[in-house]
Amino acid sequence: MQPDKKFIIQCSSQTEKQNWVDVLKEKRKLLTKEETVYEEWDVPFVQAVHHYKKIKDDDLELTEGEVCRVFRKYRDGWCFGQKESDGKQGWFPMSFVVEVDSEHTKIPRDNKKAGASGNK
């Protein structure tokens, strides 16, 4: 399962385009009732506190101390993420990790760029 999907939609009018945008936004809200989906700039970082041995092919094996980005969290306690060390992606249980502080989270890229250059 991929963390994000992209759509290319060709519309004959601005109104039709806006209708599609509205429908897709509503669909995302419905999906996120059972899950939390993070924007690229907003992903939390977690660190493994226990070794997690991969059970299924799409699981992400973790060693204690390993740091990952979390792209999706589900209410059932599972996450989809990516290892910082090698970029591998997969599923792992939240009970094997703790969230760690990161300056990267909660700051949109545009705001970072504006702050760095002094422009608003």
Side-chain angles (χ1 to χ4, degrees):
M1 181 181 218
Q2 295 295 320
D4 289 311
K5 291 185 172 141
K6 295 185 181 192
F7 298 93
I8 298 174
I9 299 172
Q10 185 173 358
C11 302
S12 59
S13 69
Q14 187 64 25
T15 302
E16 183 182 8
K17 176 184 173 185
Q18 189 58 50
N19 288 341
W20 274 108
V21 169
D22 292 344
V23 166
L24 292 172
K25 282 182 182 177
E26 191 60 35
K27 177 71 172 170
R28 183 176 179 143
K29 287 179 190 174
L30 292 173
L31 287 174
T32 58
K33 288 182 180 179
E34 293 295 320
E35 67 179 323
T36 303
V37 179
Y38 296 96
E39 297 293 334
E40 184 179 336
W41 58 266
D42 191 33
V43 297
F45 286 79
V46 295
Q47 186 171 30
V49 292
H50 306 288
H51 175 82
Y52 174 67
K53 185 172 170 120
K54 163 179 195 168
I55 298 169
K56 297 180 179 179
D57 287 342
D58 59 352
D59 284 355
L60 187 62
E61 185 150 341
L62 302 174
T63 57
E64 190 174 332
E66 201 156 27
V67 175
C68 298
R69 295 171 182 250
V70 176
F71 299 122
R72 291 179 181 229
K73 281 186 194 175
Y74 287 81
R75 278 201 271 172
D76 67 0
W78 282 86
C79 296
F80 183 86
Q82 176 181 334
K83 289 185 189 181
E84 284 291 286
S85 61
D86 59 14
K88 289 183 181 176
Q89 294 185 351
W91 296 95
F92 57 91
M94 275 301 288
S95 59
F96 282 72
V97 298
V98 294
E99 196 163 329
V100 294
D101 290 331
S102 168
E103 292 178 24
H104 178 71
T105 59
K106 311 300 181 207
I107 303 172
R109 289 182 192 256
D110 293 339
N111 287 352
K112 280 184 161 183
K113 289 177 185 173
S117 66
N119 298 332
K120 289 187 178 181

